[in-house]
């Protein structure tokens, strides 16, 4: 019992295995330590240690009873990689790929080593170099990637496989079709040429592979007839040692779509983000993680004429290293350092002056500046009134001193525009159409010389950015409703507003008249 807080699970080790549990068995680890519970699924109670330990022993007993039954269900597929001591490799190939690919060895700072499989060596290595990795030599056509429909599980008493013969026998027991594909490739010139080979299989429950080398003398003798090499490798050479590999997908589609379930990401969309301040800075990084700037048509364009000053640091995604740099340029650099494969561009000017304003698929206004938002709103609604195509536009802002995050998506004249959210007072001032604030937020403004600012915590910025990215995802998945949304952050100062598709305001100066 290493930890009476039970942050670490009590360890249970089998001192003597019964005869029927000899050899490889699921749930048995190093030194016959038993895997009997998943700490992500079970809560261990530190206030009742005796009962907790008794419960652990009961779970272990059930695992052993299950393994000792006459026909135990093979559940090794559920934790297959716990028994697969493979060396890590990154796989930069789209799913469904099945062909000869390249396995390269990269070096990073501090003697770090990395294996990466790719179907586009030049592009992959260029991107990896931008993140601090480099290849001493570029290898091509030294691996074969195969799509396997079969779920991986452990078979046989000897585990893990250590030789080519053992691993081929195991693969054949899982899926004879995969075995035949490997068998066919063993007689290929690419193996003879390099004297080394790797095979990577992509299965439903994970990616795995193996690599082996062929002696120079053996390879030389098979140059004219590669099938001789296969006869050797499946005969006397079956004792050739193999290196086991464990794959981690890193291709663009996987990175940006992994957590979206049945949704599509922002791939192949042109998105213009106006404003890289407290909301826009975070929103830009979220959009990138969801695939903005990915694909042949994808672009993420950041527009902001301002520079980062010390007053911005407390609630901005950028830090001290970007002081007095343009916000759009510095945010684009940050994203490119994390995702060098994305097309991220910066425009350090007023967004009204750039051509992408009318060319993007989606314009996101994260400035929080009502006058600029009204100007952008006028540009798009006027085009629609004139029967001219206009980008869809999403406004995202924070209400008052961080009390409410709000958004409005405009994709036609059938629903409210940005100006429809305001009513005109006889004095000429504009007031909130819905009166959602419970208090006078103007009193929260802090005056500094000739300027003022609204104080609120960075959590409000993050929530507004999160709201914006949720709307953007619904937009790209063709489910833009409700177009008007809000999230209350401080219920003592803001009222709940109904998320809905608002009708245009009668007589709106922006969308109801030319």
């Amino acid at each position: 019992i290493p930890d009476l807080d039970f942050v670490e699970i009590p360890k249970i080790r089998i001192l003597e295995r019964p005869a029927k549990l000899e050899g490889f068995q699921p749930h048995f680890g190093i030194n016959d330590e038993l895997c009997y519970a998943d700490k992500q699924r079970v809560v261990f109670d530190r206030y009742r240690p005796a009962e907790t330990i008794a419960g652990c022993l009961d779970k272990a007993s059930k695992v052993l009873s299950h393994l000792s039954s006459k026909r135990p269900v093979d559940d090794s597929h559920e934790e297959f990689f716990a028994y697969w001591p493979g060396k890590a490799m990154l796989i930069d190939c789209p799913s469904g790929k099945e062909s000869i690919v390249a396995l390269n060895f990269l070096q990073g700072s501090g003697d770090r080593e990395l294996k990466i499989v790719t179907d586009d060596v030049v592009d992959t290595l260029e991107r990896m170099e931008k993140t601090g990795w480099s290849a001493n030599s570029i290898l091509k056509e030294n691996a074969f990637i195969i799509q396997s429909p079969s779920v991986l599980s452990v078979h046989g008493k000897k585990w893990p496989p250590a030789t080519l013969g053992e691993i081929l026998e195991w693969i054949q027991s899982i899926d004879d079709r995969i075995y035949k594909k490997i068998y066919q490739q063993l007689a290929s010139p690419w193996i003879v040429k390099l004297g080394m080979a790797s095979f990577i299989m992509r299965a439903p429950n994970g990616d795995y592979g193996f690599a082996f080398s062929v002696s120079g003398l053996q390879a030389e003798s098979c140059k004219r007839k590669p099938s001789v090499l296969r006869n050797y490798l499946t005969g006397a050479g079956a004792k050739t040692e193999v290196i086991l590999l464990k794959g981690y997908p890193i291709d663009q589609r996987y990175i940006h779509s992994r957590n979206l379930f049945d949704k599509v990401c922002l791939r192949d969309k042109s998105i213009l983000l106006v404003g890289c301040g407290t909301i826009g800075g975070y929103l830009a990084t979220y959009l990138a993680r969801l695939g903005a700037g990915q694909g042949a048509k994808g672009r993420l364009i950041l527009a902001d004429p301002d520079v980062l000053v010390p007053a911005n640091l407390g609630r901005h995604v950028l830090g001290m290293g970007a002081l007095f740099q343009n916000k759009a340029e510095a945010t684009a650099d940050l994203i490119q350092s994390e995702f060098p494969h994305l097309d991220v561009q910066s425009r350090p000017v007023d967004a009204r002056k750039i051509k992408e304003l009318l060319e993007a698929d989606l314009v996101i206004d994260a400035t929080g500046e009502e006058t600029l938002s009204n100007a952008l709103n006028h540009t798009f609604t006027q085009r629609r009134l004139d029967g001219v195509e206009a980008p869809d536009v999403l406004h995202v802002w924070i209400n008052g001193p961080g009390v409410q995050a709000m958004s409005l998506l405009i994709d036609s004249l059938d629903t409210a525009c940005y100006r429809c959210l305001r009513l005109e007072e006889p004095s000429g001032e504009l007031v909130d159409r819905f009166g959602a604030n419970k208090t006078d937020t103007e009193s929260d403004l802090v005056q500094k010389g000739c300027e003022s600012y609204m104080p609120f915590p960075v959590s409000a910025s993050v929530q507004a950015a999160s709201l914006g990215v949720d709307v953007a995802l619904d937009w790209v998945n063709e489910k833009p409703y409700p177009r008007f949304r809000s999230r209350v952050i401080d219920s003592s100062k803001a009222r709940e507003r109904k998320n809905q598709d608002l009708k245009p305001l009668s007589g709106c100066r922006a969308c109801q008249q030319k």
Side-chain angles (χ1 to χ4, degrees):
I1 305 169
D3 181 7
L4 282 175
D5 285 326
F6 297 111
V7 176
E8 290 186 52
I9 297 178
K11 299 182 185 298
I12 297 178
R13 186 162 62 89
I14 307 305
L15 299 180
E16 184 178 348
R17 289 202 200 188
K20 63 172 61 180
L21 293 183
E22 289 298 324
F24 171 80
Q25 294 290 341
H27 303 282
F28 277 83
I30 299 173
N31 295 326
D32 280 352
E33 188 175 306
L34 196 66
C35 176
Y36 63 91
D38 181 355
K39 70 176 183 179
Q40 301 299 325
R41 298 183 179 182
V42 180
V43 177
F44 298 91
D45 191 352
R46 71 177 309 280
Y47 294 104
R48 296 188 302 157
E51 291 87 342
T52 296
I53 294 166
C56 291
L57 291 169
D58 182 59
K59 291 180 187 297
S61 177
K62 289 178 180 178
V63 169
L64 292 171
S65 296
H66 163 70
L67 293 175
S68 301
S69 61
K70 290 184 178 180
R71 293 184 178 180
V73 177
D74 180 9
D75 58 0
S76 63
H77 64 279
E78 296 179 357
E79 48 185 23
F80 173 80
F81 284 103
Y83 313 116
W84 183 262
K87 295 186 177 181
M89 64 174 171
L90 302 180
I91 303 178
D92 188 16
C93 300
S95 60
K97 186 81 174 181
E98 190 162 289
S99 65
I100 299 174
V101 292
L103 174 62
N104 277 268
F105 303 85
L106 306 183
Q107 296 289 329
S109 60
D111 296 326
R112 293 184 301 160
E113 294 184 345
L114 185 66
K115 300 177 185 67
I116 188 163
V117 177
T118 173
D119 60 341
D120 189 338
V121 181
V122 174
D123 178 68
T124 296
L125 295 185
E126 283 182 354
R127 288 191 278 108
M128 295 305 293
E129 284 180 358
K130 293 178 181 179
T131 59
W133 295 93
S134 61
N136 295 328
S137 60
I138 299 177
L139 302 175
K140 299 179 180 178
E141 298 185 340
N142 63 335
F144 196 85
I145 194 163
I146 303 171
Q147 300 298 313
S148 172
S150 302
V151 173
L152 300 175
S153 59
V154 177
H155 294 282
K157 294 296 182 181
K158 187 174 181 181
W159 192 264
T163 66
L164 184 58
E166 290 172 359
I167 198 166
L168 290 178
E169 182 182 0
W170 169 70
I171 290 174
Q172 190 173 26
S173 71
I174 294 176
D175 192 330
D176 189 56
R177 293 167 296 177
I178 302 303
Y179 168 79
K180 288 178 179 178
K181 289 181 180 180
I182 297 174
Y183 181 82
Q184 182 182 14
Q185 288 298 318
L186 289 177
S188 298
W190 61 272
I191 298 179
V192 175
K193 182 180 178 181
L194 290 174
M196 61 179 294
S198 301
F199 288 89
I200 297 97
M201 279 63 70
R202 312 200 76 172
N205 57 331
D207 301 333
Y208 71 104
F210 63 93
F212 62 91
S213 298
V214 179
S215 70
L217 182 63
Q218 189 68 46
E220 186 66 28
S221 65
C222 302
K223 276 188 176 181
R224 291 186 178 182
K225 195 174 182 180
S227 60
V228 174
L229 177 63
R230 177 175 61 195
N231 294 338
Y232 166 74
L233 292 174
T234 54
K239 295 182 179 180
T240 301
E241 292 185 356
V242 294
I243 298 172
L244 303 184
L245 304 170
K246 179 181 178 181
Y248 296 88
I250 198 175
D251 60 281
Q252 297 181 34
R253 192 176 292 275
Y254 175 84
I255 290 174
H256 300 294
S257 303
R258 181 178 183 271
N259 297 318
L260 296 181
F261 301 103
D262 59 342
K263 292 185 177 182
V264 299
C265 68
L266 298 171
R267 178 186 174 89
D268 281 325
K269 295 297 181 183
S270 175
I271 297 178
L272 169 62
L273 176 62
V274 182
C276 295
T278 182
I279 299 174
Y282 289 101
L283 182 51
T285 64
Y286 298 165
L287 292 170
R289 282 168 169 78
L290 291 172
Q294 180 194 1
K297 299 179 182 178
R299 285 192 302 169
L300 176 58
I301 303 161
L302 310 180
D304 197 317
D306 294 336
V307 298
L308 187 77
V309 296
N312 302 140
L313 293 176
R315 59 188 191 195
H316 203 284
V317 71
L318 298 171
M320 294 280 286
L323 271 180
F324 303 111
Q325 294 182 33
N326 174 264
K327 292 178 183 177
E329 292 177 337
T331 304
D333 288 344
L334 172 64
I335 295 172
Q336 291 275 220
S337 69
E338 296 177 333
F339 304 106
H341 56 272
L342 298 182
D343 183 355
V344 184
Q345 304 175 21
S346 58
R347 302 287 185 269
V349 295
D350 188 323
R352 293 173 295 171
K353 299 178 181 178
I354 63 176
K355 64 184 182 67
E356 289 87 2
L357 184 66
L358 301 176
E359 296 176 352
D361 297 313
L362 177 66
V363 175
I364 303 179
D365 164 31
T367 63
E369 297 178 14
E370 189 168 352
T371 51
L372 178 57
S373 299
N374 271 316
L376 295 174
N377 180 68
H378 174 78
T379 298
F380 299 127
T381 53
Q382 194 63 46
R383 286 179 68 86
R384 288 193 170 93
L385 288 169
D386 292 338
V388 181
E389 187 175 346
D392 297 338
V393 59
L394 169 62
H395 300 275
V396 184
W397 68 99
I398 294 172
N399 188 20
V403 300
Q404 197 171 40
M406 308 190 67
S407 70
L408 177 68
L409 177 68
I410 307 163
D411 53 2
S412 73
L413 293 174
D414 296 331
T415 55
C417 76
Y418 184 78
R419 175 65 183 233
C420 291
L421 302 181
R422 290 291 203 172
L423 299 175
E424 297 180 5
E425 290 281 284
S427 62
E429 292 185 7
L430 298 174
V431 295
D432 188 350
R433 176 179 171 183
F434 299 96
N437 291 326
K438 294 181 179 180
T439 60
D440 177 18
T441 59
E442 294 297 318
S443 61
D444 292 298
L445 282 170
V446 175
Q447 193 74 31
K448 282 284 186 178
C450 297
E451 297 182 352
S452 61
Y453 69 92
M454 185 69 76
F456 52 79
V458 67
S459 56
S461 307
V462 171
Q463 292 197 56
S466 298
L467 174 61
V469 82
D470 285 347
V471 178
L473 270 181
D474 288 342
W475 166 82
V476 78
N477 283 276
E478 300 181 352
K479 296 180 180 179
Y481 39 82
R483 290 168 174 81
F484 177 60
R485 307 183 192 186
S486 67
R487 292 178 182 172
V488 171
I489 300 170
D490 185 348
S491 59
S492 68
K493 294 185 177 180
R495 300 183 182 89
E496 289 282 353
R497 304 190 195 210
K498 181 181 178 181
N499 292 340
Q500 58 187 299
D501 280 351
L502 291 172
K503 292 182 178 180
L505 182 65
S506 178
C508 173
R509 294 178 184 270
C511 68
Q512 295 298 297
Q513 51 190 306
K514 288 192 178 182

